[in-house]
Amino acid sequence: MALGLEANLGDTVITTKLDEIVNWGRQYSLWPFVFGTACCAIEFMSAAASQHDISRYGAEVVRFSPRQADLMLVCGTISYKQAPILKRIYEQIAEPKWVMAIGACASSGGIYDNYCTVQGIDTVIPVDVYISGCPPRPEAILDGLMKIQDQIKGESVLKDRHKDFKGILD
């Protein structure tokens, strides 16, 4: 026996919280933009192929324009020369947006501890999920995607996400 508002509305209306319904839609309709510079981008291609099938998680609409994406996948080594371009592309993605650092190079500079390689993209743009490996397996990329989905589930539509980030280029 239903009590309250649901009793008066019948079986045709479902009541829920605004955050839950908006986040449910965001979780299962991520549109990735791949910033691929090295071998990790090949592993992402494998994650999108039929064997691993990223479309099961609602992220198969890979966009090649940052204005149409909401998930940035940074796959590979980033040099200091590329860092301003990475930041500009990140800024062109509409809010809300999420970032995955895929592989050791994007997460920490990898084996390249030298003057020209950024030692982790989190010094340039904010990162939500780090995926380890050199290169990471497609299953790790899918696991990172599920971590992004879990993060989205707990967010509020009223709270701004990345306003106070200060990177090396700011």
Side-chain angles (χ1 to χ4, degrees):
M1 179 170 161
L3 300 174
L5 180 64
E6 289 85 2
N8 295 331
L9 297 175
D11 294 335
T12 59
V13 176
I14 298 173
T15 57
T16 186
K17 296 178 185 171
L18 179 63
D19 280 339
E20 289 179 11
I21 195 72
V22 169
N23 290 340
W24 175 81
R26 287 177 178 170
Q27 274 179 275
Y28 300 108
S29 63
L30 290 168
W31 288 10
F33 175 88
V34 182
F35 192 88
T37 61
C39 47
C40 294
I42 304 298
E43 292 300 317
F44 172 76
M45 291 176 208
S46 179
S50 60
Q51 183 177 0
H52 299 287
D53 195 18
I54 200 168
S55 64
R56 292 179 292 163
Y57 302 98
E60 74 274 11
V61 185
V62 177
R63 307 315 295 177
F64 296 102
S65 169
R67 292 175 185 92
Q68 298 174 346
D70 56 6
L71 172 63
M72 184 175 205
L73 306 175
V74 182
C75 308
T77 311
I78 303 299
S79 67
Y80 281 102
K81 201 172 199 178
Q82 292 171 317
I85 298 162
L86 176 68
K87 183 166 180 61
R88 178 178 293 158
I89 290 172
Y90 171 78
E91 289 170 348
Q92 290 175 355
I93 298 174
E95 289 287 345
K97 55 189 164 189
W98 299 273
V99 176
M100 288 173 51
I102 298 178
C105 292
S107 297
S108 65
I111 60 172
Y112 305 106
D113 188 13
N114 57 32
Y115 66 93
C116 65
T117 304
V118 174
Q119 299 300 303
I121 64 162
D122 55 357
T123 60
V124 180
I125 60 175
V127 176
D128 296 298
V129 172
Y130 298 88
I131 300 174
S132 62
C134 184
R137 296 274 308 139
E139 294 89 348
I141 296 171
L142 296 177
D143 185 57
L145 181 64
M146 289 188 286
K147 286 182 180 11
I148 291 279
Q149 289 176 329
D150 288 342
Q151 180 180 340
I152 292 170
K153 188 181 218 176
E155 291 180 357
S156 172
V157 296
L158 302 175
K159 184 179 170 190
D160 205 357
R161 298 184 67 243
H162 294 297
K163 285 289 186 192
D164 46 345
F165 175 77
K166 294 291 183 199
I168 61 172
L169 299 178
D170 291 330

